[in-house]
Amino acid sequence: MFDEESGTAAEELGRRPAEGSTDLTHDAALLSHQIAARLRNLIASDELKPGQRLRERALADRLNVSRTPLREALKELAGDGLVTMSPKRGAVVTELSAAQIGEKLDVLGAIEAFAGAQACRMASDTEIAEIRALHHEMLAAYERRDRANYFRLNQEIHLHLIAAAHNETLRQVHEQINRQLFHYRYQSSSDVSTWHTAIAEHETILQLLNARDASALGACLQRHVHSTWEQLSASGIGSSAGPVAV
């Protein structure tokens, strides 16, 4: 099962503002963000499936939270494109067509290619060392066949690469599109036999980053994102809509 919380998030979800608190608005916003993070993980792990209606009462009971912060969390997910709000059906987990997945992967590949090239120019040695450390942690998760941590660390590597580009606009655009594809990228990791390909690609990414080869790393990252579609197609996701160039 995909990790639903990190650190003490489970405790945070049940926290209420302390008596006499002068920062109720901040506490409420924090709670709704934590609920949103938990829902993202449930969507990514397919526990909340694309097209599924999200009934507030049942979901609030499941998460052991009140409905007011839950509604705010659903609005946040709607802003990310993970949830669709309908006057008749309420909140529904967004379901992307094969064409939509392909389009978003096209854009994500271009963003990560640009970010990789920029990281070669802008990243500090410390930032590269952190990415290298994450890579070794991912290798350990691969050896254990620990899917949840393998996927989490895989994503962390990509997010650190984006951060190493030192471009806030790039980071924000990447975050939004990556959230919309989070579920599908997680599903593409379901076949353990394909992990070795991703590991090999990450080895190459790390080598090119160490060498600060901007052009080669950009091209490598674009191919790496493209491989997500190949894995999704192999698993049958979106196959009914026909092939999509990514």
Side-chain angles (χ1 to χ4, degrees):
M1 175 177 168
F2 194 81
D3 234 355
E4 289 189 10
E5 300 97 11
S6 61
T8 59
E11 296 173 3
E12 294 289 344
L13 281 168
R15 179 182 296 174
R16 293 296 181 268
E19 187 174 340
S21 171
T22 59
D23 198 8
L24 298 179
T25 301
H26 176 269
D27 287 346
L30 178 61
L31 181 60
S32 67
H33 289 326
Q34 290 163 349
I35 296 170
R38 192 172 181 187
L39 288 171
R40 285 190 192 97
N41 288 337
L42 292 173
I43 291 171
S45 61
D46 220 26
E47 292 184 64
L48 296 176
K49 299 180 181 297
Q52 179 177 339
R53 184 178 177 185
L54 302 176
R55 300 179 184 276
E56 284 186 9
R57 179 170 296 178
L59 200 53
D61 289 344
R62 176 176 181 174
L63 301 179
N64 193 28
V65 298
S66 63
R67 294 172 73 177
T68 298
L70 174 61
R71 288 191 191 105
E72 292 303 311
L74 291 173
K75 289 178 184 177
E76 183 177 330
L77 295 188
D80 290 342
L82 291 175
V83 166
T84 302
M85 307 296 286
S86 166
K88 293 184 178 180
R89 299 188 66 199
V92 177
V93 179
T94 301
E95 184 171 17
L96 297 178
S97 67
Q100 289 172 321
I101 296 170
E103 287 177 359
K104 291 178 188 298
L105 283 170
D106 271 342
V107 175
L108 193 72
I111 290 172
E112 293 208 3
F114 176 72
Q118 284 296 104
C120 286
R121 304 182 183 100
M122 304 295 295
S124 67
D125 291 341
T126 299
E127 286 173 319
I128 293 177
E130 289 173 353
I131 293 170
R132 188 183 306 117
L134 287 169
H135 177 73
H136 290 306
E137 288 184 52
M138 186 177 72
L139 285 176
Y142 167 72
E143 293 297 335
R144 297 192 304 269
R145 299 301 189 265
D146 182 350
R147 183 187 179 197
N149 276 314
Y150 166 82
F151 180 76
R152 177 182 63 81
L153 290 161
N154 187 307
Q155 287 285 293
E156 281 293 314
I157 290 169
H158 285 269
L159 295 178
H160 274 66
L161 270 169
I162 296 295
H166 295 277
N167 184 313
E168 181 60 18
T169 300
L170 176 74
R171 187 199 65 78
Q172 291 175 3
V173 174
H174 178 272
E175 181 179 45
Q176 183 175 27
I177 297 176
N178 194 49
R179 282 176 174 174
Q180 293 172 11
L181 290 169
F182 201 71
H183 163 79
Y184 300 96
R185 298 187 86 174
Y186 183 65
Q187 295 311 309
S188 75
S189 71
S190 61
D191 186 354
V192 176
S193 67
T194 66
W195 290 10
H196 69 279
T197 301
I199 290 290
E201 290 173 352
H202 272 256
E203 291 275 9
T204 303
I205 288 167
L206 188 57
Q207 290 170 8
L208 294 173
L209 181 62
N210 281 326
R212 295 184 183 271
D213 189 335
S215 177
L217 179 56
C220 181
L221 281 164
Q222 195 150 25
R223 289 194 301 272
H224 182 63
V225 174
H226 175 86
S227 69
T228 299
W229 177 253
E230 294 173 345
Q231 293 169 28
L232 288 171
S233 297
S235 67
I237 297 176
S239 59
S240 61
V244 178
V246 296

